[in-house]
Amino acid sequence: MSARGQQDLAHLVQHGSLDALRTSLPSDAGRWVNSDQRQGNAGQTLLFTAVQRDKDCREVCELLLDVHKVDPNAQDKRGQTALHYLAKTKHLACVDLLVARGCKVDHVDKYLHQTPLFYAARWSTRDMVKRLVDHKAEVNFRDARGQTPMFWAESLEVCSELMRGRGDACLAVDTANVTVAESHRLRPNPQHDISDFLATCAEVRRRSRLTWAVQRVEPAGTPASGGYGNWFAYTTSIARGGDVDQLCELENEFVEDHRQMLGSALSEAELWNQVGLNPDATTRRNTIRSITQVTPGTPRSGKVRHYTVKCVHMPPNPDRVTGTPRNKTHRVVGYVYFRICEGDREDGAGARGARGARSGAADSSAARAAPGAATGRAAAGGASDAAAAGAEARDAKGTRGHIVVSHLKVNAHHQRRGVATLLLAGMLQLVETEHKGFSVSHLYLSVVAKNASAAALYRKLGFVQTFRDGETVQWLHMKR
């Protein structure tokens, strides 16, 4: 075919209507390859052209692949496939088609030793990055310079999607020993916001954590020379002995929340009874200490196992403080106290004195595990520790059970930021990590009926009300 004929055929595939293509494409279109080595598109099949169409991209590609038998993995002179070009567009459905027809998601080109995900990160959108990651594209693939797709990302949305694909993507370092966060700051047109975001993510990832979230300070600032000034983080992890003081402060807030919520007509004795805590501060402190005395890496044993998961706030770090001075800025701002119980539980279980957990407040939550027993949590905590000390570790593989959330509290200054949801996710992550094979049938919690915002949050998270009870105080009992 002449050079002119090649140009006309490529133009038809890129701009012609679907009907015109169905009737006008020559029978040997599937074997056509651009042979002009002087052009950047030398070696490309018509599929390379089709993926760059504005309309009917999927249909034209399907015509070429299924009718004209174009090879989906054909390479041009740079060693790139049509998917490298498609990754720069917004044609998500076409990605599904090419992958279904055998196109390799992580094909490496000869140009910079890069996969299609690099091109999506640089030129396309969050949706395209997500689609490639959904098709198992390797987020941390390294090119000829040791860089990953995160080095090439051009928006926070793309960075966020890459982080969802691989949570350690923010820790990448290239062959020049430049971190991915620093690389964005050192660009000719510095991307400070992306750099700050990735630096904050990296700080979180270096900590021991169950779940975590990075959020922007509102209103966002614009630091002149980088740093972490625009971003802060929340991380969840199992509570330790060093957290006792801050956990006690939060528990006192927890009680005060309910004192205000339930009203002055309720006596002090009944208040403590309703929230399921001992009125004696020393006893409460000792209980918290007993639950936080854990041996790292050693799962608790027994048919009932008690845990506290904390949420730590990591404030913005514009001065790049590290080490102990930085750790001192971290603050416990929430916790969830829960128990893992073997066996199933009937929905009606929860009559007075044997009721399941009481949790509360969408963010400022509160409740108790055993109404009618003011020392219920203390006794349960002690029993758990005694069982752990006196029994051999059990293999939870194949064990079925449920989780009862007893108390969930978030500091007032950190409410409505997703902390309660993060704590519940951390709770489930802990169960999965420490008790592999443990099958959770349901989650149970209860909330004061007056606390409409808490009930709304739990319903949003998939909890349903099983029953309602209480004389002095009405409680909604929920499960998921």
Side-chain angles (χ1 to χ4, degrees):
M1 185 182 294
S2 66
R4 178 67 181 181
Q6 290 188 31
Q7 291 177 6
D8 290 344
L9 184 57
H11 186 273
L12 174 65
V13 170
Q14 185 164 8
H15 301 289
S17 69
L18 184 58
D19 288 340
L21 287 166
R22 285 171 173 161
T23 57
S24 302
L25 275 179
S27 59
D28 62 348
R31 297 193 299 273
W32 181 87
V33 175
N34 187 342
S35 59
D36 189 346
Q37 294 298 319
R38 296 170 300 174
Q39 297 184 23
N41 59 355
Q44 294 185 357
T45 66
L46 292 174
L47 188 62
F48 285 75
T49 304
V51 298
Q52 300 174 70
R53 287 176 58 95
D54 292 329
K55 295 176 59 177
D56 299 326
C57 175
R58 188 186 191 285
E59 291 77 6
V60 173
C61 288
E62 195 168 26
L63 176 67
L64 292 171
L65 290 166
D66 295 349
V67 176
H68 294 278
K69 307 303 179 183
V70 175
D71 180 4
N73 287 305
Q75 302 174 35
D76 63 10
K77 72 174 186 178
R78 292 192 174 111
Q80 296 179 342
T81 67
L83 190 56
H84 284 81
Y85 285 78
L86 178 59
K88 296 189 285 186
T89 74
K90 298 180 181 179
H91 302 317
L92 305 182
C94 202
V95 173
D96 298 337
L97 174 67
L98 263 64
V99 173
R101 297 299 187 272
C103 190
K104 297 178 181 177
V105 177
D106 280 332
H107 178 82
V108 183
D109 67 21
K110 301 174 184 177
Y111 185 51
L112 292 174
H113 198 68
Q114 292 182 340
T115 64
L117 188 59
F118 284 81
Y119 292 81
R122 173 68 177 85
W123 299 104
S124 192
T125 65
R126 173 183 201 157
D127 292 337
M128 176 59 75
V129 168
K130 182 179 186 305
R131 188 58 58 92
L132 289 171
V133 172
D134 286 345
H135 283 296
K136 310 304 180 184
E138 176 51 61
V139 172
N140 281 342
F141 187 90
R142 295 183 179 276
D143 65 11
R145 291 180 290 182
Q147 295 185 343
T148 64
M150 188 71 85
F151 283 78
W152 293 73
E154 288 292 324
S155 71
L156 284 169
E157 292 75 19
V158 165
C159 289
S160 178
E161 202 56 55
L162 290 170
M163 287 296 296
R164 286 188 174 90
R166 279 289 297 267
D168 60 351
C170 57
L171 300 177
V173 179
D174 66 15
T175 54
N177 205 33
V178 176
T179 66
V180 64
E182 191 72 358
S183 73
H184 284 275
R185 190 180 68 83
L186 295 176
R187 287 189 177 190
N189 295 312
Q191 296 176 314
H192 288 301
D193 210 25
I194 290 179
S195 178
D196 297 350
F197 169 74
L198 293 175
T200 304
C201 290
E203 183 184 13
V204 173
R205 288 291 302 182
R206 294 187 184 101
R207 289 176 54 89
S208 174
R209 73 269 173 265
L210 295 166
T211 55
W212 57 285
V214 170
Q215 299 181 17
R216 186 198 294 272
V217 175
E218 296 295 345
T222 308
S225 59
Y228 313 94
N230 286 351
W231 300 91
F232 63 93
Y234 292 111
T235 69
T236 66
S237 59
I238 190 168
R240 305 294 186 188
D243 303 315
V244 170
D245 287 343
Q246 295 181 52
L247 290 171
C248 286
E249 291 179 17
L250 283 169
E251 189 167 86
N252 289 337
E253 290 182 24
F254 171 90
V255 175
E256 186 59 31
D257 288 343
H258 283 72
R259 179 177 284 112
Q260 296 180 17
M261 188 186 308
L262 301 178
S264 58
L266 200 67
S267 69
E268 279 294 296
E270 183 61 18
L271 171 67
W272 292 104
N273 179 56
Q274 288 294 327
V275 298
L277 292 172
N278 194 301
D280 180 68
T282 301
T283 301
R284 296 199 307 276
R285 182 180 182 85
N286 289 338
T287 300
I288 290 173
R289 182 183 291 111
S290 71
I291 297 173
T292 57
Q293 289 177 345
V294 296
T295 303
T298 304
R300 297 186 174 184
S301 61
K303 291 187 176 297
V304 179
R305 309 156 202 176
H306 296 255
Y307 288 93
T308 298
V309 168
K310 66 182 178 183
C311 180
V312 171
H313 174 242
M314 300 169 61
N317 189 15
D319 299 323
R320 302 194 178 199
V321 177
T322 59
T324 300
R326 173 58 173 164
N327 291 337
K328 288 182 177 179
T329 68
H330 298 168
R331 187 81 182 167
V332 178
V333 298
Y335 69 85
V336 57
Y337 166 65
F338 63 98
R339 60 184 186 265
I340 304 171
C341 308
E342 291 187 9
D344 293 326
R345 165 180 162 170
E346 297 179 6
D347 289 347
R352 190 154 183 88
R355 206 168 285 160
R358 292 194 168 184
S359 175
D363 279 327
S364 143
S365 33
R368 60 164 173 175
T375 58
R377 199 192 65 163
S384 173
D385 293 332
E392 294 183 357
R394 302 181 57 200
D395 181 4
K397 186 175 182 180
T399 303
R400 177 181 174 86
H402 59 278
I403 298 175
V404 178
V405 178
S406 179
H407 296 81
L408 194 159
K409 165 65 185 172
V410 178
N411 176 267
H413 297 294
H414 296 271
Q415 295 173 15
R416 301 186 185 282
R417 294 181 180 177
V419 176
T421 303
L422 200 65
L423 281 164
L424 292 173
M427 173 187 74
L428 294 175
Q429 184 64 42
L430 175 66
V431 175
E432 181 178 337
T433 301
E434 293 214 355
H435 302 284
K436 297 184 184 300
F438 189 90
S439 176
V440 179
S441 61
H442 293 96
L443 309 180
Y444 294 91
L445 56 79
S446 303
V447 60
V448 175
K450 288 184 178 181
N451 200 343
S453 59
L457 170 66
Y458 295 135
R459 290 190 183 99
K460 184 177 180 180
L461 294 176
F463 286 86
V464 295
Q465 182 178 331
T466 56
F467 67 102
R468 175 178 182 144
D469 73 351
E471 298 175 1
T472 308
V473 177
Q474 287 283 303
W475 290 87
L476 306 180
H477 302 276
M478 310 179 81
K479 79 170 184 178
R480 185 182 189 278

